[in-house]
Amino acid sequence: MKTVLVALTLFAHLCFAQTESTFLVLTNRKASVLIDGELKGDSQPNIPFKVVTMAGEHYVQVQYQENDQTFDKAEIVVGEPGKQRIIKLLFDEKVSEYVPPEIKVSDLNFSIPGILNVSGWKNNNPGQDYPYPTHYLAFEKGDVIVLNTSMTNKNGTNSIEVATYPDGVLKYTNNKFTELVNLEIPVEQRSIYRFTFATNHTFDRNCFLKVSRKPASREAETFNSNVVYKRVFTPVSVLEPTAHWVHSGSNAFFSGGKSRIVVPVKLPENTVEWFYRFSSSRSQADIENVRQNFQLFGELSKLLLTASGFGLAANKAVDIGVDQLAIPPGANICDVYLLTYDDIQNFEAKNDGNWRYVLDGSRSNLMSGNVKVTCCTTEQMYLGIRNPAPMDGINVSIEVIAITAKDEYVMVSQ
């Protein structure tokens, strides 16, 4: 009898199992899972939630709440006996819209000179541009500049010019305004903006200027709009690494070659000091490899970035010594002389005793080296290269980099 009962129980279980259906409910949110309105539990994002129910038609639903709102997805599903079915109920990925705050950048009160003062200044300074009140501020790419202005004296009109600095690309101009209310100017690239004001009224007036910015993203909210006026030192390539063949003394005498050559050095405006790197070898292949690996410009750029450029005198850039630079390889000696225009002809003609060289920028009897020149920064100079070897020619590679200095506004964020 007991055996019969067990058999009947197993038979009943099998019959019931054949009438069940399994649903795997998949959603992309933490949500409640309901079958025919009955709560079955909470699902985790992108993890299947298993529900076993009777085969047949069912209303499968997932539901979640956010900001006091209820969101749901549902589908009518037919479950087959003894089978499993995956049901995907995915919510749209909501992109939260960023609402930029209006961040105060500057709140200024300044005087705008009237025509009377401007005319008097121009009479005393003929040919010069009047220094109208100008303010400099930095903005991030994607910012929207918001301007508000008002005047204590309402008579007459005023003018404003907004341009990028230092390139001077005009972004906004208005020559007949009395006030500006929430004027918006979009910023295309991170840059400094220059705001210049004037008035057509006879007398001076006070201007109240409020500048704000609306950033393009949360990450840009911390951008620093302050600028500082400082001396900026910049490396400028005067002569890219070049190779020169210099004949021996005997070849120059018997075959007409040159054992002395002159390389012009045209320094850019505002040069405060300059460097040159040289290397010499009888092997053309070796000197070509050395030339391709000259990195004087890159080395000086890195040193200038790490050095402080504040408050330095105009005749000195930063404290960069030649011992901070990589020493280029060399195999054979040469002489490099710093010459003025008056001496190059006698140097090339070997009229020794009739030409002079600048000691500060000259080196002799060396295979390679780095030379820093702090003099001779405002005129055309020349490097005279001499091969002292009587029988063998040499290849000489040389690179020249100038350091320029200019006082200008720069971003604190840089």
Side-chain angles (χ1 to χ4, degrees), residues 31 35 43 47 76 145 155 158 160 170 188 215 254 265 284 312 319 358 372 384 389 397-399:
I35 305 295
S43 69
I47 298 176
I76 296 175
I145 304 171
N155 295 327
N158 314 288
I160 180 175
L170 191 63
E188 297 172 357
F254 293 108
V265 177
Q284 184 177 0
L312 297 174
D319 192 17
V358 180
K372 178 178 180 178
S397 183
I398 195 160
E399 180 182 7

Side-chain angles (χ1 to χ4, degrees), residues 326-338:
I327 300 175
N332 301 97
I333 62 172
C334 72
D335 302 326
V336 184
Y337 300 103
L338 180 58

Side-chain angles (χ1 to χ4, degrees), residues 228-249:
V228 292
Y229 191 68
K230 60 177 281 189
R231 177 149 294 183
V232 178
F233 298 101
T234 306
V236 178
S237 178
V238 177
L239 179 67
E240 294 184 355
T242 54
H244 305 271
W245 172 252
V246 187
H247 289 276
S248 64

Side-chain angles (χ1 to χ4, degrees), residues 4-286:
V4 173
L5 288 173
V6 171
L8 288 173
T9 302
L10 290 173
F11 177 76
H13 179 75
L14 289 171
C15 290
F16 181 76
Q18 289 180 353
T19 63
E20 289 182 335
S21 180
T22 301
F23 295 151
L24 295 177
V25 183
L26 183 66
T27 186
N28 54 351
R29 295 272 184 170
K30 182 178 181 180
S32 299
V33 179
L34 299 93
I35 305 295
D36 300 323
E38 181 183 349
L39 179 63
K40 296 297 183 180
D42 293 328
S43 69
Q44 296 299 319
N46 304 312
I47 298 176
F49 183 87
K50 185 178 180 180
V51 179
V52 178
T53 187
M54 295 298 294
E57 186 176 86
H58 296 278
Y59 185 71
V60 182
Q61 184 180 17
V62 291
Q63 192 177 81
Y64 77 95
Q65 286 190 328
E66 184 177 273
N67 298 328
D68 297 326
Q69 283 186 290
T70 300
F71 301 89
D72 65 82
K73 287 278 184 177
E75 184 177 334
I76 296 175
V77 181
V78 176
E80 298 182 44
K83 292 189 178 181
Q84 180 175 281
R85 179 168 179 177
I86 297 175
I87 305 165
K88 292 184 179 180
L89 297 173
L90 304 178
F91 294 93
D92 294 336
E93 291 293 341
K94 295 173 60 179
V95 179
S96 58
E97 184 178 350
Y98 175 67
V99 179
E102 189 169 315
I103 301 171
K104 185 175 77 172
V105 172
S106 186
D107 193 348
L108 302 171
N109 177 8
F110 57 92
S111 177
I112 301 179
I115 295 175
L116 194 62
N117 275 339
V118 173
S119 298
W121 187 93
K122 287 185 176 180
N123 288 334
N124 295 326
N125 300 273
Q128 298 185 39
D129 293 330
Y130 184 81
Y132 288 100
T134 302
H135 304 279
Y136 298 84
L137 294 167
F139 296 91
E140 180 61 288
K141 179 180 179 180
D143 277 358
V144 175
I145 304 171
V146 183
L147 296 181
N148 285 275
T149 68
S150 60
M151 305 289 171
T152 52
N153 188 336
K154 302 296 183 181
N155 295 327
T157 57
N158 314 288
S159 65
I160 180 175
E161 182 180 281
V162 181
T164 57
Y165 172 89
D167 48 349
V169 177
L170 191 63
K171 296 298 182 180
Y172 176 79
T173 182
N174 189 332
N175 296 321
K176 295 181 179 179
F177 78 93
T178 54
E179 65 177 359
L180 300 173
V181 179
N182 292 329
L183 172 68
E184 294 190 348
I185 303 172
V187 176
E188 297 172 357
Q189 297 292 335
R190 173 188 283 201
S191 55
I192 295 175
Y193 274 62
R194 182 186 67 210
F195 303 83
T196 305
F197 293 84
T199 181
N200 65 358
H201 189 55
T202 304
F203 301 105
D204 299 356
R205 76 260 314 279
N206 280 341
C207 174
F208 297 94
L209 171 66
K210 293 183 179 181
V211 184
S212 304
R213 56 182 285 262
K214 294 179 181 178
S217 65
R218 287 185 177 85
E219 293 75 19
E221 290 181 10
T222 57
F223 179 80
N224 191 337
S225 288
N226 292 326
V227 299
V228 292
Y229 191 68
K230 60 177 281 189
R231 177 149 294 183
V232 178
F233 298 101
T234 306
V236 178
S237 178
V238 177
L239 179 67
E240 294 184 355
T242 54
H244 305 271
W245 172 252
V246 187
H247 289 276
S248 64
S250 61
N251 186 282
F253 182 79
F254 293 108
S255 304
K258 289 187 176 181
S259 61
R260 301 184 183 193
I261 64 171
V262 172
V263 178
V265 177
K266 186 172 179 58
L267 298 170
E269 187 179 0
N270 300 318
T271 296
V272 291
E273 62 186 33
W274 53 286
F275 294 77
Y276 71 86
R277 171 172 289 175
F278 71 96
S279 177
S280 61
S281 173
R282 291 174 189 154
S283 169
Q284 184 177 0
D286 287 349

